[in-house]
Amino acid sequence: MSSHDVAPPAAASRSPCCLCWCCCCSCSWNEERRRAWRASRESKLRPLPSCEACATPSPEEVRSWAQSFDKLMHSAAGRSVFREFLRTEYSEENMLFWLACEELKAEANQHVVDEKARLIYEDYVSILSPKEVSLDSRVREGINKKMQEPSAHTFDDAQLQIYTLMHRDSYPRFLSSPTYRTLLLRGGSQSSNEA
């Protein structure tokens, strides 16, 4: 065998060589993660269903959204309308991050938790992400430490910070927006038509 006839390297095993989350290697684990990331990305590129495609909120439900941010966020229709509003303000990533954290907290399978935590980190926490959410350095450092051994609660501090940001910043503008005002007027006209 000459020096030009080098044997091909042994086939990489299908088990991951590491559990890195920074994409610094091309192990099989990262290949699987990239496949899952692409599938996740494709699903996020689908258009949002319009509010009409969601269960139509009652006039009372629409009015309750003005009572508290919690009532808005506990309503599927409320989250949908608020997310559409956030999209117009170019801050939809805040709602997407919050929803991803809720989904992560509901997960019991540790393998799935690891995968979802890494996808959330890559999509919303990484400084390289176009959908990076605004987190302070203390929370970001905490996440970086927790990513060594992710859990369903890895992003709890960050989720609370983003929830508070949406509550204090976007929510008051939402209540004054034409989107919400139109829903209120529609509810008012439905109530008067029923009388």
Side-chain angles (χ1 to χ4, degrees), residues 36-52:
W37 180 80
R38 279 193 292 275
S40 169
R41 175 81 55 198
E42 289 167 7
S43 71
K44 288 178 184 146
L45 293 176
R46 290 186 204 129
L48 275 177
S50 66
C51 188
E52 291 78 37

Side-chain angles (χ1 to χ4, degrees), residues 82-98:
F82 187 57
R83 180 177 167 190
E84 193 63 47
F85 169 76
L86 290 174
R87 182 181 276 187
T88 66
E89 291 206 328
Y90 304 100
S91 59
E92 180 187 21
E93 67 278 359
N94 292 331
M95 178 64 83
L96 293 173
F97 172 73
W98 187 86

Side-chain angles (χ1 to χ4, degrees), residues 2 11-12 15 22 24 27 29 32 35 42 57 59 70 90 117 127-128 130-131 143-144 149 161 170 181 186:
S2 72
S15 63
C22 63
C24 64
C27 65
W29 182 84
E32 291 170 20
R35 242 180 273 118
E42 289 167 7
D70 288 336
Y90 304 100
I127 59 171
L128 301 175
K131 295 186 296 183
I143 291 171
N144 287 336
E149 292 181 37
Q161 194 170 69
S170 303
R181 295 285 174 209
R186 248 190 250 157

Side-chain angles (χ1 to χ4, degrees), residues 114-185:
D114 291 347
E115 184 64 27
K116 285 184 177 183
R118 282 169 175 69
L119 289 171
I120 290 170
Y121 185 93
E122 192 173 277
D123 283 350
Y124 304 108
V125 179
S126 170
I127 59 171
L128 301 175
S129 173
K131 295 186 296 183
E132 178 189 8
V133 293
S134 179
L135 300 171
D136 66 37
S137 61
R138 179 192 59 81
V139 169
R140 194 174 293 279
E141 287 171 19
I143 291 171
N144 287 336
K145 287 177 187 169
K146 291 175 185 175
M147 284 302 292
Q148 301 298 321
E149 292 181 37
S151 77
H153 300 283
T154 296
F155 300 100
D156 284 359
D157 291 341
Q159 185 184 23
L160 177 60
Q161 194 170 69
I162 294 304
Y163 186 88
T164 303
L165 175 71
M166 290 189 295
H167 181 201
R168 291 185 180 158
D169 188 45
S170 303
Y171 176 63
R173 286 195 304 275
F174 168 73
L175 294 177
S176 303
S177 72
T179 303
Y180 183 66
R181 295 285 174 209
T182 301
L183 280 173
L184 278 176
L185 290 173

Side-chain angles (χ1 to χ4, degrees), residues 61 64-65 68-80 82 95 98-99 102 163 171:
E61 184 179 5
S64 77
W65 300 342
S68 79
F69 186 59
D70 288 336
K71 288 187 179 184
L72 173 72
M73 293 297 281
H74 281 92
S75 160
R79 286 190 307 269
S80 177
F82 187 57
M95 178 64 83
W98 187 86
L99 291 168
E102 287 296 295
Y163 186 88
Y171 176 63

